[in-house]
Each structure stands twice: as structure tokens, then as C-alpha cells.
Amino acid sequence: RHWNGTGPCFFYAGNEDNIEQFVRNAGFVFEAAAEFGALVVFGEHRYYGASLPFGADSLRRGYNISFLTVEQALADYNALAVHVRQQWNVGQDGAFVAFGGSYGANLALWLRLRNPNIWAGAVASSATPRKHLLRESNAFYRIVTEASDRRPPQDHRTSPVRT
């Protein structure tokens, strides 16, 4: 409803739920689309929602689940972007920008980094592409511990939190 025929395409990289959940909670994408005259597309991640590549057999134990990978999701979104560009006659000057939150933010970030020929940019909210480093080094908990050690003790009688 916002696309003016020449604007960019804002593509939301869905993640661990059916795509309707993200459509209902992606107000920023629609606000930005109105400002930029953008086409908005939501891609549903394979194996979530109705995107079952092998129908009812998709989730059977030990059957086809090996296709539930980041690489496959990225390939799906790249193919969908190319398809949308062709179907909607989005010119070569029409930028494709990936959006996402949490795991979807990682997908948006990786789409841009791995395929700059397709994706002009990414808006990645709460991306955690190096979360494994925090886990391996225990850095997150060390940061929390150090921060709480520096904080003066609170008097429970004056705390704004009520129990």
C-alpha cells in the first residue's frame, strides 16, 4: 500500500514463528515504508508457519529436518528477493533492504554481508551474530557480575520495586 512503483523493497526476514506474528508486530517497517514509498515483503522461514517444504512430513522425526539451516533460509530469502524484483518489476535502482529482529536480525545482517549484489542494506534489531563468543568465554556473566559489584547496595525500604 505504500509502494510508489519506484521505491525500495523492505524485506522482513521471518524467523521462529509463523509470519503473521511478525506482520502484526513490525510497525517500524510499515512506518519506514510510508516515508520511503517502499514495497513491503515478509518472508516466512522454512519449517515455521505454513512454510513446510515437505508438507506434513516436514517435521517427522529424522525426516527432512536437515534442511532447517541458516544457509537454506538465506538461500530461500535470496531467491524470494530475486522473484519479487522480477514479479513486481522493481528496477535495478530499487534497493532491497532486509529487516529482522533477534535471529531474524542475524539473517538480515548475513543476507547483506553475504550477498551485497542482492541486498543494499540491513536493519538488524537485537542481532547476536557473535553470541557464541559470549557463551564460550562466559563474558556476559562476567559483565553482569562486574556491573552489579560496582552498584551501591539498595535499601529495600526505599526501592521503587514493591513486593
Side-chain angles (χ1 to χ4, degrees):
R1 74 181 171 203
H2 301 297
W3 194 46
N4 61 19
T6 62
C9 177
F10 290 168
F11 182 93
Y12 191 92
N15 43 309
E16 309 102 326
D17 209 340
N18 68 57
I19 201 62
E20 288 86 7
Q21 295 296 327
F22 301 106
V23 172
R24 285 194 288 273
N25 293 295
F28 173 73
V29 175
F30 294 111
E31 290 170 16
E35 185 172 333
F36 289 93
L39 175 66
V40 177
V41 174
F42 282 78
E44 185 168 69
H45 196 294
R46 59 173 52 204
Y47 290 90
Y48 292 96
S51 297
L52 301 171
F54 300 98
D57 288 334
S58 294
L59 301 176
R60 256 188 32 211
R61 186 179 175 147
Y63 185 77
N64 298 322
I65 202 73
S66 64
F67 297 105
L68 176 57
T69 66
V70 169
E71 291 75 18
Q72 288 291 320
L74 296 174
D76 291 344
Y77 291 158
N78 286 330
L80 185 54
V82 170
H83 175 77
V84 167
R85 184 178 291 282
Q86 292 169 347
Q87 284 296 117
W88 288 83
N89 295 318
V90 179
Q92 290 304 312
D93 292 338
F96 271 66
V97 179
F99 285 75
S102 189
Y103 167 55
N106 291 349
L107 293 172
L109 175 69
W110 292 325
L111 285 167
R112 169 63 180 134
L113 291 175
R114 293 180 180 186
N115 303 96
N117 58 316
I118 298 174
W119 304 95
V123 178
S125 176
S126 301
T128 57
R130 302 187 125 206
K131 180 171 37 178
H132 68 282
L133 295 176
L134 290 175
R135 287 186 183 141
E136 291 167 4
S137 66
N138 203 27
F140 175 77
Y141 293 106
R142 281 189 286 141
I143 293 167
V144 170
T145 301
E146 289 171 13
S148 65
D149 285 346
R150 286 192 294 253
R151 197 168 150 219
Q154 282 192 353
D155 183 340
H156 71 279
R157 293 172 291 174
T158 60
S159 172
V161 177
R162 302 278 188 241
T163 58

